[in-house]
Amino acid sequence: MKDYFSLHLNQTQLAAMSSLSLAHVGDGVYELLVRGWLCAGGLQVNENLHRRTVALVRASAQAEALVRITPHLTAEELAVVHRGRNAHVHTIPKAASRGEYLRATALEALFGWLYLQDRKARINQLFALIMEPEEG
């Protein structure tokens, strides 16, 4: 039986995927990380969970998250981000600018790309950079 929680695609398979397919997977990965982070943090009232989740996964928040982690990305990860940011999206949500939506798509593509390689440690490193308060 295939373990869909620990997928591992090779570089050829990943290169054949569209950036929007990577972002589709990454959207789910990112939302699951946010939901887990909120629940582990003790926020257990469903109404608050939903509101906080939406606030953290909306395009503007994801765009800010990408800006925050960009200095920590490898050249290979930056290439995935660039590919995701240049995706040909057809609709932009009203609550986001085109730039925010494209940066959010790039972040999701990165998280999808990492997930599909079963690179959980790297996903956790980047997510920690996003969610942990800045020092200083």
Side-chain angles (χ1 to χ4, degrees):
M1 176 192 250
K2 191 169 202 149
D3 180 1
Y4 292 101
F5 277 111
S6 299
L7 292 174
H8 188 85
L9 300 182
N10 63 40
Q11 293 303 317
T12 303
Q13 292 169 307
L14 287 167
M17 291 182 75
S18 73
S19 52
L20 291 177
S21 293
L22 293 173
H24 180 72
V25 172
D27 177 52
V29 170
Y30 194 78
E31 183 158 344
L32 184 59
L33 289 165
V34 167
R35 287 173 180 240
W37 183 81
L38 288 171
C39 287
L43 191 61
Q44 297 177 7
V45 177
N46 194 40
E47 182 181 318
N48 289 336
L49 281 172
H50 179 70
R51 189 178 10 228
R52 292 281 312 276
T53 299
V54 169
L56 292 169
V57 300
R58 70 173 38 128
S60 59
Q62 288 184 351
E64 289 175 24
L66 179 64
V67 170
R68 190 166 181 175
I69 64 170
T70 296
H72 305 280
L73 299 179
T74 67
E76 189 178 27
E77 291 165 346
L78 286 169
V80 173
V81 165
H82 182 72
R83 185 176 155 202
R85 195 177 56 237
N86 290 335
H88 296 292
V89 296
H90 300 290
T91 48
I92 308 291
K94 292 179 184 176
S97 70
R98 181 170 183 78
E100 286 173 330
Y101 191 69
L102 292 175
R103 286 190 302 279
T105 301
L107 178 78
E108 291 171 349
L110 175 62
F111 274 79
W113 181 79
L114 290 168
Y115 171 79
L116 291 170
Q117 295 177 79
D118 197 25
R119 293 180 57 191
K120 291 182 190 112
R122 184 59 175 156
I123 289 170
N124 282 317
Q125 285 176 333
L126 295 176
F127 190 71
L129 288 171
I130 292 166
M131 302 310 285
E132 292 175 1
E134 292 184 45
E135 295 178 16

